[in-house]
Amino acid sequence: MSVSANFAVPPRLKQAADAAHALLRAALDVVLPPLCAACREPVDGSGLCPSCWSKLSFITRPYCERLGIPFTYDPGPGILSMEAIADPPAYNRARAAVRFDEISRALVHALKYGDRLDLAPMMGRWISHAGREILAEADALVPVPLHWRRQWARRFNQSAMLAAAIASESGLPIAAGALKRVKATAQQVGLSRSERAGNVQGAFKVPEEGKAAVLGRRLVLVDDVLTSGATVDVCARALNRAGAANVDVLVFARVADPARTSI
Ligand SMILES: [Zn+2]
């Protein structure tokens, strides 16, 4: 049977096609049940199995009000970490949903390399909760951009996926064109703290067409993981230079070295 462009599918045929499609989907669900993003055990619908969920380490106060690094004891309200005092970042405050550990790394990797885009809404909800004070005062979200070549290879930017999830939680707009990655940098993995800073030096800028979205605005940088903070620091520098009123940082997971967080 040949089908012309304006051929209307008879309702019965359409119903049969829909039923076949539903059957196929059901069959695929049996073959491919949703898996836990961390341990690959089958789960009912959500991204993590109960066991992995219970091992996630959510970050709550007490933490350094500037860097968001969790304290191992409560030093009292408003106390900053040694890092924040000795080497203040270009951004105002950073908050993370969870500590970077085995489970959160698995979630980040699944989102980044495993095409588990279905995890983004859940991760975005947790970030929004951790950053609710920051989001309440913000004008727009700025995902940390990938270099176009890396984005092309990976097909999407995981930070933009998280920013989209935070946008739908908070109602804030995304200023996607506010920041541009102008230098393709090596992966930060395996580099020392000073190597990381050197690696991302000059890698970001506010393009001419992005300036209106930055000037006088309170912005929230969004990234998946905060390790040394070098990447968000140079991003914040670029936004500050372009006249941002305030720059805060929200990430999904942060490296929290308890040995270095006590004052
Ligand atoms: Zn699991």
Side-chain angles (χ1 to χ4, degrees):
M1 182 172 64
S2 72
V3 179
S4 70
N6 54 6
F7 176 84
V9 180
R12 287 240 307 276
L13 204 63
K14 168 110 178 41
Q15 251 172 31
D18 284 350
H21 189 232
L23 261 176
L24 182 66
R25 278 195 57 117
L28 278 174
D29 279 347
V30 172
V31 180
L32 300 167
L35 299 179
C36 170
C39 72
R40 319 275 302 152
E41 283 292 310
V43 286
D44 310 328
S46 77
L48 280 180
C49 73
S51 158
C52 290
W53 162 265
S54 71
K55 282 186 240 156
L56 261 181
S57 180
F58 286 92
I59 296 176
T60 54
R61 285 195 169 89
Y63 50 61
C64 168
E65 289 298 322
R66 192 82 194 269
L67 300 178
I69 300 173
F71 287 133
T72 46
Y73 64 97
D74 193 347
I79 300 294
L80 302 183
S81 60
M82 274 305 265
E83 287 95 323
I85 295 161
D87 188 15
Y91 51 84
N92 183 12
R93 297 165 291 181
R95 299 289 182 263
V98 296
R99 288 170 194 252
F100 190 65
D101 57 17
E102 199 188 324
I103 305 288
S104 59
R105 178 174 37 225
L107 281 170
V108 167
H109 278 221
L111 177 72
K112 207 162 165 175
Y113 307 113
D115 286 315
R116 286 290 306 266
L117 298 183
D118 61 298
L119 298 173
M122 175 183 79
M123 293 163 80
R125 252 193 323 277
W126 297 344
I127 302 171
S128 302
H129 182 73
R132 58 198 181 281
E133 292 158 5
I134 283 172
L135 293 169
E137 299 168 356
D139 294 320
L141 306 167
V142 180
V144 170
L146 290 178
H147 190 263
W148 67 266
R149 228 175 291 143
R150 185 163 293 159
Q151 175 144 355
W152 183 80
R154 205 183 282 164
R155 303 195 312 280
F156 65 92
N157 173 2
Q158 73 279 4
S159 304
M161 300 304 298
L162 293 175
I166 298 168
S168 76
E169 286 289 317
S170 63
L172 286 173
I174 298 175
L179 205 56
K180 202 172 166 189
R181 196 163 200 140
V182 290
K183 200 172 92 178
T185 51
Q187 298 270 20
Q188 298 278 71
V189 175
L191 300 183
S192 74
R193 194 181 165 81
S194 62
E195 284 169 341
R196 281 168 183 262
N199 187 33
V200 291
Q201 199 63 46
F204 300 90
K205 75 171 213 185
V206 175
E208 203 51 49
E209 66 274 16
K211 286 188 172 155
V214 174
L215 187 65
R217 311 290 297 282
R218 298 181 64 88
L219 302 172
V220 182
L221 278 164
V222 178
D223 208 356
D224 53 352
V225 179
L226 195 154
T227 308
S228 70
T231 301
V232 285
D233 201 66
V234 293
C235 287
R237 255 174 237 287
L239 294 171
N240 285 335
R241 264 200 307 274
N246 183 67
V247 180
D248 290 314
V249 174
L250 289 183
V251 298
F252 174 66
R254 77 158 301 140
V255 172
D257 179 3
R260 301 180 63 237
T261 56
S262 49
I263 321 178

